[in-house]
Amino acid sequence: MRKIRSLNTKLLLFLSFFFFLLNTKLIVSLSPDGLSLLSLKSAVDQPDGDNPFSDWNEDDPTPCKWTGISCMNVTGFPDPRVVGIAISGKNLRGYIPSELGTLLYLRRLNLHSNNFYGSIPADLFNATSLHSLFLYGNNLSGSLPPSICNLPRLQNLDLSNNSLSGSLPENLNNCKQLQRLILSRNKFSGEIPAGIWPELDNLVQLDLSDNEFTGSIPNDLGELKSLSNTLNLSFNQLSGRIPKSLGNLPVTVSFDLRNNNLTGEIPQTGSFANQGPTAFLNNPLLCGFPLQKSCKDSSQSSPASQNSPQESNSNNSLKKGLSSGLIILISVVDAFGVAFIGLVIVYFYWKKKDDSNGCSCTGKTKFGGNEKHRACALCSCVNGFSNEDSEAEDIEKAATERGKGDGELVAIDKGFSFELDELLRASAYVLGKSGLGIVYKVVLGNGIPVAVRRLGEGGEQRYKEFVAEVQAIGKVKHPNVVKLRAYYWAPDEKLLISDFISNGNLAYALKGRSGQPSPSLSWATRLRIAKGTARGLAYLHECSPRKFVHGDVKPSNILLDNEFQPHISDFGLSRLINITGNNPSSSGGFIGGALPYLKSVQSERTNNYRAPEARVPGNRPTQKWDVYSFGVVLLELLTGKSPELSPTTSNSIEIPDIVRWVRKGFEEENTLSEMVDPALLQEVHAKKEVLALFHVALACTEADPEVRPRMKNVSENLERIGA
């Protein structure tokens, strides 16, 4: 009996040892890179829902088929080596294991938008092939390890939206290849180190916003000559004057220095001239253009500007030498003199305007088919500023001359004159119908086609308001903007007459009847469309009388002529529709003659191109809305993909799929052939041009509107591509 028990015991031990050896053999069969990756699996709490580690099996020979892992064959190694880890947005909770530093061929580590906690292990930077590290949107804490610049190929470092603290390493200048340094929304403190920035001559993006940095802005930040888009130092505790050296940065760079304690006058040299007031807001002691705060007023109220004791004594003695009555008499005389001079100036000003029949621009030209309907021609936009006619006077004149209850056809543009009967007798057919009115193509007696939009029938009590809007639209003159030529007003009929653009719109050119892009949309043509559209939008934003916001930029509102030059349509119509009582909705892009080739084009969803903040009810349109929409159009030009919306949302705000898809492609370093429109693959040889256009599009589609560039800067960047 004892022998049987002993035999059974030996048999159990043998079987246990056998299975141990078997399991050991299975684990050892996994490649070294796979064993290192298992440390990440064990460091993460297993999620309740979608588990990205469900196919990370120990019995696989390599990890190359595991979710989120990419590999590449390397000379001298029998097995492929791990070059990429991309597991983002999975709500993973755990820590980053130091064993990942043994992945010597790892190039990209992308763990953003999870719940990783703890510090960034210094041993991670033993993976010396790393050039892209995306850990933003986690709960990481601790300091930024100085060994991070042991990575000789590091190009992209995004650690934003964590709880990292401490000061910036003094040896950041060793990151010679660094292109993007994004450390926003952390708890970094201390001064921004000086002396390191001139050596980062590849840096194109620097974002240190929303931290606890103190001290002054380093002068040598102005030596970042490769910087583009935005220099973001906002929401810190920086103090002192703004260095004039920042004016040496490229003119395309937008500053964001909001919410600091900066003082003194804003420099007016170099790239400072291109900055708007939002770049400097919430710095109480900052003054000068473009802020609406005079430095003279600031100096008078600041302690440093107070009179010295000697000056105070001198002023006091002077006051003592003058009687109070004499002082009052001098003040009254001064006031009377100023008032008299003001009256003289006003008199001559109005006399000059009376002599010029109400036209306030020099070099003006009278036009129109009827002497009763004369008006001033639009003054040209020079150096970004427009000389405007007096709108109020034009409106008053038109209102006075308008017959009660009678309709009037008023020519806006010089040399464009025809009678109402001619318009009504002309051959016409419907181009389309939408919430912004029915649009017809009308061929006049001289053979010239025009587009006529019929608006609502109401609004007869708001005539002056209607004319003000129409005249503002009519003053826009740019080769890439559809020109409004005339308008017709009657109590029961309102018409807008504009140029007819004969070659349809960009939406049809991209999709056509077959869903495929037009063969004429070559790379050169797409670049021409992008540049022309940017020029037109920049003009509307910077030069037009009203500094227009389009509010509905999309391919169906970009009309194309026979040379595929773009013409922006449908700007400024929403207020007109509101005045005339129509119900504004997506226009389908018919003004100016964009043909309604497809119902799918007509029913194009506006939200696909609108900025995230534009989808929040109650928000008023801004120029940055147009910048975002234009960026989505650029991505569609590049990829050939429509910006469909995903059923999922982020913080109740939808982001077009195309934006997420392209950003993910760049993070994972997908090849251009995976992202560019297949119709372009056989002809696109200028890789740098394509990449440059992608970067412009991504800058335009930043989620934060303050980070997006101005349309003027976008246009300047595009003009450099292929030049």
Side-chain angles (χ1 to χ4, degrees):
M1 191 70 175
R2 291 179 179 176
K3 290 182 179 181
I4 293 174
R5 289 179 179 175
S6 177
L7 182 62
N8 288 338
T9 301
K10 291 179 179 179
L11 181 61
L12 289 172
L13 289 173
F14 174 77
L15 290 174
S16 299
F17 182 68
F18 173 77
F19 283 114
F20 173 76
L21 290 177
L22 184 61
N23 289 336
T24 302
K25 183 178 179 181
L26 288 173
I27 295 176
V28 171
S29 68
L30 183 62
S31 67
D33 283 359
L35 293 174
S36 298
L37 287 172
L38 290 180
S39 65
L40 177 60
K41 180 179 180 180
S42 62
V44 173
D45 300 337
Q46 297 304 304
D48 296 331
D50 183 22
N51 186 356
F53 303 115
S54 59
D55 59 357
W56 286 34
N57 298 320
E58 295 88 344
D59 55 351
D60 291 335
T62 72
C64 298
K65 293 184 179 180
W66 294 356
T67 297
I69 303 302
S70 54
C71 298
M72 184 181 70
N73 291 319
V74 177
T75 304
F77 291 91
D79 297 322
R81 304 304 300 265
V82 172
V83 297
I85 303 174
I87 307 175
S88 59
K90 300 296 183 181
N91 200 32
L92 301 178
R93 177 175 172 78
Y95 62 91
I96 299 175
S98 59
E99 287 84 353
L100 295 182
T102 63
L103 299 171
L104 298 182
Y105 290 90
L106 182 65
R107 298 180 179 181
R108 303 177 304 278
L109 179 58
N110 188 345
L111 300 176
H112 72 78
S113 304
N114 284 295
N115 287 311
F116 284 100
Y117 55 82
S119 60
I120 302 173
D123 289 343
L124 176 64
F125 307 120
N126 292 331
T128 53
S129 295
L130 264 175
H131 61 67
S132 294
L133 187 59
F134 299 105
L135 301 178
Y136 60 89
N138 283 287
N139 294 315
L140 298 172
S141 57
S143 61
L144 186 62
S147 57
I148 193 169
C149 284
N150 291 346
L151 301 174
R153 299 178 179 87
L154 184 63
Q155 297 177 8
N156 303 295
L157 180 62
D158 191 343
L159 305 177
S160 59
N161 199 15
N162 279 287
S163 297
L164 298 170
S165 58
S167 58
L168 293 185
E170 296 283 348
N171 66 339
L172 272 178
N173 56 334
N174 292 333
C175 296
K176 304 292 185 183
Q177 302 301 319
L178 195 60
Q179 297 179 10
R180 292 170 182 82
L181 178 60
I182 307 174
L183 303 177
S184 59
R185 288 169 289 174
N186 278 287
K187 298 178 181 178
F188 289 110
S189 59
E191 296 190 2
I192 299 175
I196 64 175
W197 308 106
E199 298 183 49
L200 300 180
D201 51 9
N202 291 305
L203 197 65
V204 299
Q205 184 177 1
L206 177 61
D207 189 347
L208 304 179
S209 63
D210 208 349
N211 279 285
E212 299 171 7
F213 288 114
T214 57
S216 59
I217 299 175
N219 283 318
D220 55 0
L221 278 178
E223 298 185 37
L224 290 172
K225 298 301 176 59
S226 60
L227 207 64
S228 61
N229 299 329
T230 304
L231 169 64
N232 197 342
L233 304 178
S234 63
F235 292 91
N236 280 289
Q237 301 169 27
L238 299 173
S239 57
R241 291 180 171 271
I242 301 175
K244 292 183 179 180
S245 60
L246 296 188
N248 298 329
L249 293 172
V251 294
T252 56
V253 174
S254 295
F255 300 156
D256 193 346
L257 306 178
R258 293 172 296 158
N259 291 78
N260 280 288
N261 298 315
L262 300 171
T263 59
E265 183 175 5
I266 299 171
Q268 302 298 314
T269 58
S271 57
F272 282 102
N274 292 329
Q275 309 306 318
T278 55
F280 309 100
L281 293 179
N282 296 328
N283 286 278
L285 299 180
L286 208 57
C287 62
F289 183 84
L291 295 177
Q292 301 297 319
K293 183 178 181 181
S294 170
C295 289
K296 182 179 180 181
D297 297 337
S298 300
S299 63
Q300 289 175 350
S301 60
S302 64
S305 66
Q306 300 299 320
N307 292 333
S308 64
Q310 292 83 356
E311 291 172 333
S312 300
N313 291 336
S314 176
N315 291 337
N316 290 335
S317 62
L318 179 61
K319 290 177 181 178
K320 290 178 181 177
L322 296 176
S323 66
S324 58
L326 183 58
I327 293 175
I328 294 173
L329 179 61
I330 293 174
S331 300
V332 171
V333 171
D334 286 344
F336 178 79
V338 171
F340 178 76
I341 294 173
L343 288 173
V344 171
I345 293 174
V346 170
Y347 169 78
F348 281 106
Y349 170 76
W350 285 108
K351 187 176 187 301
K352 183 177 180 181
K353 289 187 68 72
D354 290 339
D355 293 341
S356 62
N357 292 326
C359 293
S360 61
C361 296
T362 58
K364 57 190 175 292
T365 306
K366 300 294 179 72
F367 62 86
N370 191 325
E371 286 294 315
K372 187 174 68 173
H373 303 128
R374 291 178 178 174
C376 291
L378 173 68
C379 294
S380 61
C381 178
V382 181
N383 295 329
F385 297 94
S386 56
N387 300 318
E388 302 178 21
D389 295 332
S390 173
E391 290 186 8
E393 186 175 350
D394 290 342
I395 297 165
E396 287 293 341
K397 184 176 180 181
T400 302
E401 295 171 346
R402 174 177 161 239
K404 294 183 179 180
D406 297 332
E408 275 194 299
L409 181 65
V410 180
I412 293 177
D413 191 45
K414 176 183 178 181
F416 191 84
S417 175
F418 59 93
E419 298 297 330
L420 178 60
D421 289 343
E422 181 184 358
L423 179 65
L424 298 178
R425 290 194 307 266
S427 58
Y429 64 89
V430 175
L431 291 175
K433 181 179 180 181
S434 71
L436 295 183
I438 302 175
V439 180
Y440 306 85
K441 176 184 176 182
V442 177
V443 181
L444 301 177
N446 56 8
I448 297 177
V450 293
V452 179
R453 180 185 294 277
R454 183 182 182 187
L455 302 175
E457 298 179 355
E460 58 268 14
Q461 304 301 322
R462 303 174 68 181
Y463 175 73
K464 293 183 180 180
E465 190 177 350
F466 178 87
V467 173
E469 294 300 320
V470 169
Q471 289 186 346
I473 295 172
K475 289 179 179 180
V476 172
K477 286 186 177 181
H478 191 275
N480 296 114
V481 180
V482 173
K483 177 62 183 171
L484 182 66
R485 299 293 183 179
Y487 70 91
Y488 174 78
W489 169 276
D492 57 351
E493 190 74 87
K494 289 90 184 170
L495 305 175
L496 300 178
I497 298 94
S498 62
D499 286 343
F500 176 79
I501 311 300
S502 59
N503 202 18
N505 58 45
L506 180 57
Y508 177 73
L510 284 168
K511 298 303 177 185
R513 293 185 178 88
S514 63
Q516 298 297 322
S518 166
S520 301
L521 276 186
S522 63
W523 170 246
T525 300
R526 297 184 195 215
L527 192 56
R528 183 189 314 136
I529 293 171
K531 290 182 178 181
T533 306
R535 285 193 295 266
L537 284 174
Y539 175 89
L540 290 176
H541 287 186
E542 305 284 347
C543 295
S544 63
R546 291 285 183 86
K547 304 295 187 292
F548 279 103
V549 174
H550 190 291
D552 195 16
V553 176
K554 56 185 179 180
S556 61
N557 283 337
I558 300 172
L559 312 184
L560 304 174
D561 61 22
N562 291 331
E563 282 73 41
F564 282 86
Q565 288 288 350
H567 302 259
I568 299 170
S569 71
D570 281 16
F571 70 95
L573 290 181
S574 295
R575 293 189 66 180
L576 287 177
I577 294 300
N578 181 56
I579 292 170
T580 56
N582 209 337
N583 182 26
S585 65
S586 177
S587 70
F590 301 124
I591 188 170
L595 304 178
Y597 293 101
L598 288 174
K599 290 184 179 179
S600 61
V601 172
Q602 292 182 17
S603 59
E604 176 186 45
R605 290 188 297 169
T606 306
N607 278 351
N608 291 0
Y609 297 88
R610 298 182 73 182
E613 69 273 13
R615 303 184 191 110
V616 177
N619 279 1
R620 296 183 63 183
T622 68
Q623 293 182 350
K624 292 299 180 76
W625 289 21
D626 292 348
V627 174
Y628 187 96
S629 300
F630 177 72
V632 179
V633 172
L634 287 184
L635 291 179
E636 189 170 0
L637 273 172
L638 285 162
T639 65
K641 295 182 179 295
S642 298
E644 299 300 331
L645 288 175
S646 170
T648 60
T649 61
S650 174
N651 295 329
S652 302
I653 295 178
E654 294 174 321
I655 304 294
D657 279 346
I658 192 173
V659 176
R660 291 199 300 265
W661 180 74
V662 171
R663 289 191 183 279
K664 182 178 179 182
F666 271 87
E667 288 178 358
E668 298 180 357
E669 298 189 350
N670 293 345
T671 61
L672 278 181
S673 61
E674 298 178 69
M675 302 170 67
V676 174
D677 189 342
L680 295 176
L681 290 179
Q682 296 181 354
E683 66 161 301
V684 175
H685 306 294
K687 180 180 178 182
K688 288 186 177 180
E689 294 182 10
V690 177
L691 284 174
L693 198 59
F694 265 119
H695 286 310
V696 172
L698 290 175
C700 291
T701 53
E702 288 283 356
D704 184 355
E706 292 297 337
V707 177
R708 297 172 208 153
R710 292 163 60 191
M711 205 64 225
K712 176 183 177 182
N713 294 341
V714 172
S715 181
E716 290 170 348
N717 281 335
L718 289 178
E719 293 299 333
R720 295 186 178 93
I721 300 177

